[in-house]
Amino acid sequence: DQQVKQNSPSLSVQEGRISILNCDYTNSMFDYFLWYKKYPAEGPTFLISISSIKDKNEDGRFTVFLNKSAKHLSLHIVPSQPGDSAVYFCAADENSGYALNFGKGTSLLVTP
Amino acid sequence: DAGVTQSPTHLIKTRGQHVTLRCSPISGHKSVSWYQQVLGQGPQFIFQYYEKEERGRGNFPDRFSARQFPNYSSELNVNALLLGDSALYLCASEDFEQFFGPGTRLTVL
């Protein structure tokens, strides 16, 4: 039972444009959301997070938006760079403090 | 400053065998979590240990077990390996966020 869904397996964006990665969740008890980036042969790297009490969090080129009523979050990368090409995972936590629930990932390709 | 380390990086086993995977957390982190990532899927939570005690367990059979040592390093053990256990096994250590190691790629033939 997939509680975190990333319905786009892949996304291709031109360098300098905006990348928007989407994530939906079904468990209304999730209260903390994270995005991880993963390069081949490496573990996931924490990118940005957002608590359910906020609707936006920004860190440099990366912004995460949370729409609780729609159970939807998105990651915006502006401007996109070729080094951003990686698999992006959305994850959610039910205030357990330990068990992250991951989506299947979206493979982002940023072309020059 | 060393990150999370895991060993071995790759491992090939046959069905029915057992395997032990090892993880060393970031210095100062007392919590270690284990995840299984099957090809094409996101990581799936297996265990978390904090101060040598199991704090949480995911939906995995009893063939999977783990422990944490006084130095906070951890081992994941899988008995009676099945083909479906072939995956990337990720270890994460945590202070506030979870920081992942590079993983151990297990192939069961």
Side-chain angles (χ1 to χ4, degrees):
Chain A
D1 181 27
Q2 193 81 23
Q3 299 185 77
V4 177
K5 300 178 183 179
Q6 294 177 256
N7 293 319
S8 298
S10 63
L11 176 67
S12 183
V13 171
Q14 277 193 316
E15 181 178 7
R17 307 290 283 265
I18 184 171
S19 295
I20 300 176
L21 295 94
N22 293 304
C23 177
D24 297 293
Y25 61 95
T26 57
N27 187 344
S28 57
M29 299 300 292
F30 287 148
D31 62 356
Y32 193 66
F33 303 88
L34 309 92
W35 285 93
Y36 282 83
K37 178 170 72 171
K38 187 178 186 302
Y39 293 116
E42 295 183 11
T45 303
F46 170 74
L47 200 55
I48 192 169
S49 62
I50 188 167
S51 164
S52 60
I53 62 173
K54 295 186 174 182
D55 55 18
K56 177 182 174 181
N57 189 28
E58 195 170 350
D59 183 3
R61 297 186 297 114
F62 302 92
T63 303
V64 56
F65 295 92
L66 175 62
N67 182 334
K68 289 188 291 295
S69 60
K71 293 191 178 69
H72 176 84
L73 63 156
S74 61
L75 174 69
H76 293 209
I77 306 173
V78 183
S80 300
Q81 300 173 354
D84 296 329
S85 298
V87 177
Y88 289 78
F89 290 99
C90 171
D93 183 14
E94 196 181 322
N95 199 28
S96 68
Y98 55 82
L100 293 178
N101 294 269
F102 282 86
K104 291 185 179 182
T106 296
S107 179
L108 173 66
L109 177 64
V110 180
T111 56
Chain B
D1 188 20
V4 178
T5 59
Q6 292 186 245
S7 62
T9 53
H10 296 86
L11 202 52
I12 299 175
K13 292 285 189 178
T14 56
R15 281 175 295 175
Q17 287 188 312
H18 73 271
V19 68
T20 298
L21 310 180
R22 295 178 175 84
C23 172
S24 292
I26 293 170
S27 177
H29 289 190
K30 299 179 180 179
S31 169
V32 170
S33 297
W34 287 95
Y35 290 80
Q36 179 196 64
Q37 186 181 8
V38 173
L39 197 62
Q41 304 290 320
Q44 190 170 1
F45 173 74
I46 311 175
F47 285 111
Q48 190 186 67
Y49 276 76
Y50 178 76
E51 288 278 17
K52 303 181 289 294
E53 297 287 328
E54 181 183 303
R55 194 161 79 165
R57 182 184 183 116
N59 188 24
F60 279 81
D62 292 343
R63 298 185 297 107
F64 289 76
S65 63
R67 56 179 175 166
Q68 187 177 31
F69 299 99
N71 66 354
Y72 303 112
S73 67
S74 177
E75 282 182 355
L76 175 68
N77 294 284
V78 187
N79 293 324
L81 285 167
L82 303 174
L83 295 179
D85 295 331
S86 295
L88 179 69
Y89 288 86
L90 293 161
C91 172
S93 76
E94 178 179 358
D95 50 4
F96 182 67
E97 307 294 354
Q98 293 195 13
F99 297 87
F100 286 84
T104 293
R105 172 73 61 188
L106 173 64
T107 301
V108 182
L109 302 176

